[in-house]
Amino acid sequence: MQQREIVVSGIRPTGFLHLGNYFGAIRQYLHMQESYECYFFVADYHALTTHQDPKLLRTQVYRVLAEYLACGLDPEKATIYVQSDLPEKAELYLLLNMLAYKGELEKVPTFKEKIRGRHESINAGLLTYPVLMAADILIHRAIKVPVGKDQEPHLEMARNLASRFNQKFGFLFPEPMAFSETGELLKVPSLDGKGKMSKSENEMATIYLADSDELIRKKIARAKTDAGPSTPHSPKSPEIENLFLLLKLVSSPETVAHFEEAYDRCTIRYGELKQQLANDMIRLVAPIRQRAADLQNDVEYLKKIRKVGAEKARDSAQTTLQRARELMGIAYD
Ligand code: TYM
């Protein structure tokens, strides 16, 4: 039998999941679990780099697990686990740290962004964040990593570390690529036209998978628009471009075509567009919200998923780690 390609991806338990996480990552997980060997996890070690409240972590971890399942991830098809249940990753992270240079880590755009304007001390975990992420991916020898656009620099770092390891110690790691089924990594914009949807910032401009129908309507109603097109086929302002981008994600091609045409003919009513957008978002989010809430009440079930997932993930992790140790000379028997 031909071996299936290996896929890895994860999400940090740092807040409620949103449509950026859904369209940038989870929707692809759903397709990929059908035909690849998939490992999807909750990145709790990564969450610690920004000092999460220890009292909240457990709830946040189980919530991401519940939301994964509510979106349609299937533990029979994919291996679903929690990062810290696989300490092999921590050891591979330590080994890979020997190959990562301080200068290149300081240049990673996400690191620069995270430390901008911060005056308290910057911890080494934040600096070596991409090394831990490389360990997540390389421990399963994955080649495809479904992520949103913001993760691209981390994938570049993972490739550098893989090829450096291979050159120095012998081939072990295939070089992983950031993956999007459309061929283009996605950035789901926030509703205020400033940046992207995010777990922790800009709550009124982000649609969360746990938002109520009313809240979704309210957030969409508040989204910024402009005065409307005054000449046929005029270019769209960034705010309107964003609304159309969201419409393309949640609505049917016919609906999108209808509003594109109305825009081009200057007959568009933004109120109608927003109402349609809100309806279609609710159609997607409401069942996920309901299922996630039910699953969160069943912690015993989630615990079982966590344990079974970690056991499955450990097989592949232990084999890779053992090989990495041998190649680096950590073999004294
Ligand atoms: P995190 O938790 O910030 O986000 C999880 C996933 O959601 C995507 N995403 C978006 N995509 C499009 N538009 C947006 N507005 C948007 N916001 C978030 C992210 O690109 C990501 O795919 N470092 C990772 C977690 C991680 C990981 C890994 C991912 C740890 N180890 C190994 C892949 C492989 C992160 O912080 O994702």
Side-chain angles (χ1 to χ4, degrees), residues 12 20-21 46 129 133 136 147-148 150-151 186 188 197 199:
R12 279 172 307 153
N21 301 131
H46 275 108
Y129 185 112
M133 191 160 149
D136 289 330
V147 282
D150 59 318
Q151 298 299 314
L186 196 65
V188 178
M197 289 200 185
K199 285 194 219 104

Side-chain angles (χ1 to χ4, degrees), residues 13-15 44 46-57 60:
T14 48
D44 60 335
H46 275 108
L48 301 181
T49 59
T50 48
H51 299 300
Q52 299 301 302
D53 181 347
K55 290 199 252 355
L56 290 182
L57 199 56
Q60 313 249 64

Side-chain angles (χ1 to χ4, degrees), residues 275-293:
Q275 206 164 27
Q276 180 75 45
L277 188 58
N279 287 343
D280 290 338
M281 280 190 179
I282 289 168
R283 202 162 34 86
L284 171 74
V285 170
I288 296 177
R289 177 183 69 225
Q290 190 54 51
R291 278 198 296 271

Side-chain angles (χ1 to χ4, degrees), residues 8-14 18-25 29 41 43 46 83 114 129 132-133 136-137 145-151 154-155 186-189 196-199:
V8 163
S9 196
I11 297 187
R12 279 172 307 153
T14 48
H18 50 76
L19 288 186
N21 301 131
Y22 185 84
F23 287 109
Y29 301 176
F41 62 95
H46 275 108
Q83 190 181 31
K114 277 188 184 137
Y129 185 112
L132 177 56
M133 191 160 149
D136 289 330
I137 298 165
V145 183
V147 282
K149 183 135 186 71
D150 59 318
Q151 298 299 314
H154 293 155
L155 263 297
L186 196 65
K187 173 182 155 185
V188 178
K196 60 187 174 82
M197 289 200 185
S198 136
K199 285 194 219 104

Side-chain angles (χ1 to χ4, degrees), residues 97-162:
N97 264 321
M98 311 306 164
L99 299 170
Y101 305 124
K102 175 172 166 278
E104 68 183 338
L105 291 168
E106 281 169 344
K107 281 198 214 109
V108 174
T110 44
F111 175 70
K112 291 206 279 193
E113 208 173 284
K114 277 188 184 137
I115 65 169
R116 193 175 302 138
R118 258 173 74 153
H119 300 299
E120 75 265 42
S121 52
I122 290 151
N123 70 71
L126 205 54
L127 180 68
T128 56
Y129 185 112
V131 186
L132 177 56
M133 191 160 149
D136 289 330
I137 298 165
L138 301 181
I139 198 108
H140 299 300
R141 308 180 74 241
I143 58 167
K144 287 193 175 137
V145 183
V147 282
K149 183 135 186 71
D150 59 318
Q151 298 299 314
E152 210 169 19
H154 293 155
L155 263 297
E156 192 185 328
M157 191 72 206
R159 279 194 297 281
N160 288 342
L161 289 172

